[in-house]
Amino acid sequence: MDIRIPRGTQDILPGTSEKWQFIEAKIHDICRRFNYAEIRTPIFEQTELFQRGVGDTTDIVQKEMYTFADRGGRSLTLRPEGTASVVRSYVENKLYGSAVQPEKLYYIGPMFRYERPQSGRMRQFFQFGVEAIGSDDPAIDAEVIAMAMEFYKELGLRGLKLVLNSLGDIDSRKAHREALIAHFKPHINEFCSDCQSRLETNPLRILDCKKDRNHPLMESAPSILDYLNEESRQYFNSVKSLLDKMDIPYEVDSGLVRGLDYYNNTAFEIMIEGEGFGAITTLMGGGRYNGLVEDIGGPESPGIGFALSIERLLMALESQNVELPVTKGLDCYLVALGEEPAQKAAVLLTELRRAGVSADKDYLNKKIKGQFKAADRLQASYTAVLGEDELQKGIINVKSMERGEQKEIPLTEFTNYIREKMEEEK
Ligand code: HAM
């Protein structure tokens, strides 16, 4: 049998899964502080949701979706991102009617894109994302951006670069779109076939083409920032000035266009600088999507959010040698010698675990040496030895692995003793 894991996916094994749990706990904690509530939506949705939401002409919809027909003949798609699903749920559950607006939501979960796998680009990856729907106050843009920066900083990442742009409102984009078409059209046959078809469907995406990035017309292309109308310009200025006041440095890059169609006004990415991180330097992306709720059948409700992948975050932490403070070992390992002590050990384990202590014992009938070895491998803080003699005397021999001290403890006090020791060490 030669069954292997699908390309572009990974197993998260013990030793690494603790890091994931630590990061997930951090996510829940920061979202609590910023007052975002968790939402969990299905992993698959009707294909049409992403065609409409993410956009028919985007790379994601055209080339990267895992789409299949179910047994009832419906076209379903494994979600390539979270925003469209959250907005669908917001509309379907009439969250626009809840008492407190904006509705501030977050999610953690797997996303699926059929991409060419490379480091930092997976076919299944886990996103942490937030969406604030129902307000177009520039302060919520600043909050969402600040939250992403704070999250990375609290985890200990350095060398972060926040890149900011405005894609303007519908009117500004229309004017810019025409300017882009006029700019590229006379030379479009010098561009790749993707760009040729983007010219009419989605000319903004030409600016993001990897193949043609060195074409001289890219450099001289009309900048969206020159086409912002008064309202969009003011909006952008407000977001920037709030970030200034919050002491969050950023760089404006009019070439930042994002790969999804629903954005307008604020768009941003967080990149990481420095060596050891390979070609992919974007850690997080997000922006404002004021028309999306309406596109998906809800009332006008402006939204903004971001998403980042935990895989890229872990890569970044690793490249900067940041050690996450994950709890390593077991609290207590019971070494039992003989049948009766082994049975008593099973009872003691239950007591320890009920008292909140992590504890384990041997299940392979190992000799004393083997049991001590197991305690060592599990990095147990305490090892407690119970033989026939001890059992008769009603005691247990407790050894602190770190300090090497040994102590006889009455069996009736054992659980409390270990619990107190573990609390002291916390
Ligand atoms: P996105 O830029 O497509 O935006 O993805 C956001 C983040 O997901 C990226 O910056 C990256 O960290 C991660 N990511 C994307 N593709 C992969 C991949 N193949 N492998 C590993 N990580 C990946 C969105 O998904 C939007 N929904 C963000 C958003 C939320 N905008 C508003 N609200």
Side-chain angles (χ1 to χ4, degrees):
M1 194 171 79
D2 188 21
I3 297 178
R4 285 167 189 253
I5 194 168
R7 278 193 85 196
T9 67
Q10 65 173 340
D11 296 317
I12 299 157
L13 301 175
T16 304
S17 56
E18 293 81 357
K19 292 184 188 169
W20 283 72
Q21 289 181 345
F22 178 83
I23 288 170
E24 284 157 8
K26 190 86 202 163
I27 291 170
H28 295 304
D29 176 55
I30 197 162
C31 287
R32 181 187 59 79
R33 284 181 279 142
F34 278 76
N35 193 32
Y36 285 71
E38 190 183 10
I39 181 167
R40 301 186 188 196
T41 61
I43 280 172
F44 55 83
E45 296 270 1
Q46 287 179 27
T47 301
E48 202 191 337
L49 172 66
F50 303 114
Q51 288 168 336
R52 265 211 258 167
V54 175
D56 255 337
T57 63
T58 58
D59 282 358
I60 294 181
V61 170
Q62 290 202 334
K63 307 181 198 164
E64 296 173 1
M65 294 206 305
Y66 281 90
T67 297
F68 58 97
D70 73 1
R71 287 174 194 273
R74 300 167 198 92
S75 178
L76 298 173
T77 293
L78 299 184
R79 59 184 184 192
E81 60 107 48
T83 312
S85 304
V86 170
V87 168
R88 195 254 326 124
S89 178
Y90 177 84
V91 172
E92 199 165 337
N93 296 293
K94 300 194 173 58
L95 298 185
Y96 45 80
S98 30
V100 182
Q101 296 291 329
E103 189 73 42
K104 299 189 350 178
L105 303 165
Y106 77 98
Y107 48 91
I108 309 174
M111 307 291 161
F112 306 86
R113 296 185 193 176
Y114 190 83
E115 302 205 67
R116 204 164 54 79
Q118 49 181 299
S119 143
R121 187 155 289 165
M122 312 281 297
R123 287 185 174 168
Q124 173 179 296
F125 56 98
F126 284 75
Q127 275 189 347
F128 155 42
V130 311
E131 313 293 347
I133 312 176
S135 161
D136 63 355
D137 183 342
I140 196 91
D141 301 42
E143 173 180 286
V144 162
I145 294 170
M147 183 177 180
M149 288 298 274
E150 183 64 25
F151 174 67
Y152 286 127
K153 274 196 200 140
E154 287 183 12
L155 283 168
L157 275 187
R158 305 173 301 272
L160 297 169
K161 187 168 83 175
L162 169 63
V163 184
L164 197 62
N165 191 20
S166 171
L167 299 173
D169 61 8
I170 293 171
D171 288 341
S172 312
R173 288 184 68 156
K174 227 189 217 159
H176 181 234
R177 179 191 151 89
E178 274 155 29
L180 283 171
I181 296 178
H183 178 76
F184 286 114
K185 202 169 189 171
H187 297 273
I188 195 65
N189 51 8
E190 297 161 26
F191 285 76
C192 72
S193 59
D194 277 347
C195 283
Q196 294 188 11
S197 56
R198 282 173 189 141
L199 182 70
E200 297 296 337
T201 56
N202 196 351
L204 193 65
R205 301 279 316 135
I206 297 179
L207 301 178
D208 211 22
C209 179
K210 305 273 171 304
K211 285 188 208 140
D212 294 319
R213 93 175 120 205
N214 296 323
H215 193 289
L217 280 190
M218 289 292 208
E219 185 82 44
S220 57
S223 158
I224 177 69
L225 297 178
D226 296 329
Y227 287 80
L228 296 183
N229 57 21
E230 198 40 41
E231 217 181 319
S232 291
R233 192 187 324 279
Q234 269 183 21
Y235 195 91
F236 194 37
N237 285 340
S238 304
V239 175
K240 286 189 293 184
S241 106
L242 277 162
L243 290 174
D244 291 336
K245 288 189 184 118
M246 293 164 105
D247 226 1
I248 298 177
Y250 56 86
E251 211 171 83
V252 174
D253 178 358
S254 64
L256 177 76
V257 297
R258 309 277 300 122
L260 305 93
D261 264 1
Y262 45 64
Y263 292 114
N264 39 55
N265 287 324
T266 316
F268 53 92
E269 287 184 351
I270 294 177
M271 331 274 279
I272 185 151
E273 296 173 309
E275 283 170 36
F277 196 63
I280 296 190
T281 54
T282 303
L283 289 184
M284 180 234 57
R288 186 159 267 293
Y289 45 86
N290 289 350
L292 186 59
V293 176
E294 271 177 294
D295 286 348
I296 290 175
E300 193 186 333
S301 322
I304 180 157
F306 71 73
L308 61 89
S309 73
I310 298 179
E311 287 83 356
R312 285 194 198 172
L313 166 62
L314 279 167
M315 277 175 68
L317 290 168
E318 214 156 279
S319 79
Q320 298 189 350
N321 298 316
V322 178
E323 285 283 337
L324 296 177
V326 289
T327 39
K328 277 198 192 111
L330 193 69
D331 295 337
C332 183
Y333 192 86
L334 290 184
V335 173
L337 306 163
E339 212 179 302
E340 251 185 273
Q343 281 176 14
K344 179 68 181 171
V347 176
L348 290 174
L349 271 187
T350 310
E351 277 180 30
L352 286 169
R353 290 165 176 169
R354 274 193 192 138
V357 172
S358 68
D360 214 343
K361 72 184 266 302
D362 165 64
Y363 293 103
L364 296 174
N365 250 329
K366 286 218 170 105
K367 302 229 164 63
I368 184 158
K369 220 171 133 193
Q371 293 192 39
F372 268 105
K373 223 183 226 168
D376 232 24
R377 293 226 170 95
L378 293 168
Q379 294 176 284
S381 304
Y382 288 86
T383 307
V385 185
L386 189 66
E388 306 278 2
D389 266 7
E390 282 91 352
L391 194 56
Q392 246 172 24
K393 285 193 215 152
I395 52 148
I396 187 163
N397 229 313
V398 180
K399 185 174 177 189
S400 154
M401 301 307 268
E402 202 182 306
R403 290 183 296 276
E405 311 162 350
Q406 218 157 306
K407 225 173 168 177
E408 283 186 356
I409 305 288
L411 277 171
T412 47
E413 286 165 32
F414 170 61
T415 299
N416 254 341
Y417 176 82
I418 298 286
R419 187 172 52 86
E420 276 166 19
K421 284 284 172 200
M422 294 319 299
E423 264 163 25
E424 275 167 31
E425 282 174 26
K426 252 181 212 158

